Amino acid sequence: MKHKLLYICLFLTSFTFAQQPQVKAAIDTTNIRIGEQFQYKISVNETENVIIPALENLKGLEVVDSLKIDTIENKLVKKYILTGFDSGAFYIPRQQIFIRNQAYLTDSLLVNVATVPIDTTKVKKFPIKGIKGEPYQFDDFKQYLWWIVVGVVIIALLLYFFVFKKKKEAIEEVFVPALAPYEEAMLKLDELDKKLLWQNNQVKKYYSELTDIIRSYIERELHIPALESTTDELINVLKDFNDIDSIDTSKEIIDKLKGLLQESDLVKFAKSKPLAHEIEEDRKDAKLIIDNLKPKKQVEEDEVE
């Protein structure tokens, strides 16, 4: 009976490990000559909810081509064609792959780039070139310059008197009204989503733009210098406004704003790396804050309408 239980545990353990996502990176050669191309391949044993960002931090190597992702035997395979134009040993750094919003890292790979030896005994010899003519100088064209200037002036005068001066239709300046603070904030949030910054390992830039959108909305809607204030200064001002009942919001909304701004400060200055679901939750909080942070006067007008 004990042996059977042991076999069952081993089977379940092996099945569990077999179901874990695996990310692998491989190259078809580790030694090339300058200018030669080689293939770099990333394979993932999953086919759904997988994000493979663009290659980055390549030092000494360049991407020649990025091929489409193939599905082979229930695996995703992404291939790149790389090359190098400097001799030396270069690492392809570890790449971050997202599987179901979870980050996985590939192994780093070493590539040696060698110079091409030149056999000087077989280099073709060329005869001595003849003496080159002296290049033209500005003084060679000086005598024609005044005629060109006179011609341009005459053409300009003709255009002025016979074209522009006779044109009586006034050109009206097109005035494009600025968007309302709320509409502008929603538009910028949609544009931020389309950039896919945090999905491509640009978390710091994502949080910087996200908090700038919120601060700009607060500055335009509530007339508070939010862009120039620190997190604590802005939160204290909003709490004071809320205490005197000059804005329509709640303590929970102000607390969510404080948490989001503090998270952004940690990302920007302490190099914090929030998880994917935390980033998505912060995005939802950003819209919730903008939806529920308005001047008291505007809310009362909405209720009258």
Side-chain angles (χ1 to χ4, degrees):
M1 184 67 180
K2 292 181 179 180
H3 291 293
K4 291 182 178 180
L5 290 174
L6 178 61
Y7 290 146
I8 293 172
C9 291
L10 290 174
F11 174 76
L12 293 175
T13 302
S14 62
F15 178 79
T16 301
F17 281 107
Q19 297 301 316
Q20 292 294 322
Q22 294 182 358
V23 176
K24 295 181 180 180
I27 52 178
D28 58 357
T29 180
T30 58
N31 298 283
I32 65 169
R33 291 178 294 182
I34 288 179
E36 286 186 339
Q37 299 179 0
F38 65 97
Q39 186 183 92
Y40 175 68
K41 179 175 68 175
I42 297 176
S43 58
V44 183
N45 67 337
E46 296 284 344
T47 58
E48 297 181 356
N49 299 321
V50 178
I51 299 176
I52 303 178
L55 285 183
E56 58 181 20
N57 299 328
L58 295 178
K59 297 181 179 179
L61 300 173
E62 296 183 12
V63 178
V64 177
D65 193 9
S66 175
L67 305 180
K68 293 183 178 179
I69 298 177
D70 293 329
T71 303
I72 303 174
E73 298 179 355
N74 294 325
K75 292 183 179 180
L76 291 184
V77 178
K78 175 69 174 178
K79 296 179 181 179
Y80 300 88
I81 304 299
L82 307 181
T83 188
F85 296 103
D86 294 320
S87 60
F90 304 101
Y91 275 98
I92 302 176
R94 305 174 75 183
Q95 302 297 313
Q96 194 172 39
I97 311 300
F98 292 93
I99 304 175
R100 293 188 291 273
N101 294 328
Q102 181 68 39
Y104 295 84
L105 294 175
T106 66
D107 294 331
S108 60
L109 300 173
L110 178 65
V111 178
N112 296 299
V113 183
T115 57
V116 180
I118 300 175
D119 187 355
T120 56
T121 61
K122 296 182 179 179
V123 175
K124 184 178 180 181
K125 296 181 180 180
F126 296 92
I128 299 174
K129 294 184 177 180
I131 300 175
K132 289 186 176 180
E134 185 177 350
Y136 289 103
Q137 302 293 328
F138 175 76
D139 291 339
D140 298 329
F141 303 97
K142 187 182 294 185
Q143 56 181 334
Y144 305 105
L145 181 62
W146 293 110
W147 291 106
I148 295 173
V149 172
V150 171
V152 171
V153 171
I154 293 174
I155 293 173
L157 291 173
L158 292 174
L159 289 174
Y160 175 76
F161 284 105
F162 294 100
V163 178
F164 298 104
K165 197 172 182 180
K166 291 184 178 181
K167 193 172 184 180
K168 296 181 179 180
E169 295 180 0
I171 302 175
E172 298 180 358
E173 184 179 358
V174 179
F175 175 73
V176 180
L179 291 174
Y182 180 82
E183 295 175 353
E184 182 183 40
M186 292 298 102
L187 179 63
K188 289 183 177 180
L189 284 177
D190 291 339
E191 292 175 350
L192 179 60
D193 293 339
K194 294 176 182 178
K195 292 181 181 179
L196 299 177
L197 292 178
W198 69 266
Q199 293 90 337
N200 287 282
N201 298 329
Q202 300 184 54
V203 179
K204 180 178 179 181
K205 185 176 181 182
Y206 176 82
Y207 271 91
S208 178
E209 293 192 18
L210 182 65
T211 52
D212 282 348
I213 292 171
I214 299 174
R215 287 176 179 270
S216 297
Y217 168 77
I218 294 173
E219 185 160 307
R220 289 193 61 197
E221 190 68 30
L222 304 181
H223 305 289
I224 298 173
L227 291 171
E228 301 175 0
S229 302
T230 64
T231 296
D232 291 337
E233 291 172 346
L234 179 58
I235 295 302
N236 289 335
V237 171
L238 290 175
K239 287 182 177 179
D240 292 340
F241 277 34
N242 195 35
D243 291 340
I244 63 176
D245 204 29
S246 64
I247 60 175
D248 185 75
T249 189
S250 63
K251 182 178 180 299
E252 290 76 14
I253 293 299
I254 295 177
D255 290 340
K256 280 186 178 292
L257 174 61
K258 181 179 180 181
L260 178 55
L261 294 179
Q262 289 177 339
E263 179 70 22
S264 177
D265 292 339
L266 290 175
V267 172
K268 290 188 288 186
F269 304 114
K271 297 182 179 180
S272 173
K273 293 184 177 180
L275 299 176
H277 72 274
E278 294 174 334
I279 298 175
E280 293 176 349
E281 190 65 28
D282 287 338
R283 169 62 176 82
K284 294 178 181 178
D285 288 344
K287 184 178 185 304
L288 183 65
I289 292 166
I290 294 173
D291 286 339
N292 294 276
L293 192 59
K294 297 180 180 180
K296 193 71 176 179
K297 179 180 179 182
Q298 178 179 342
V299 174
E300 292 174 352
E301 290 176 353
D302 292 343
E303 291 176 352
V304 171
E305 293 178 357

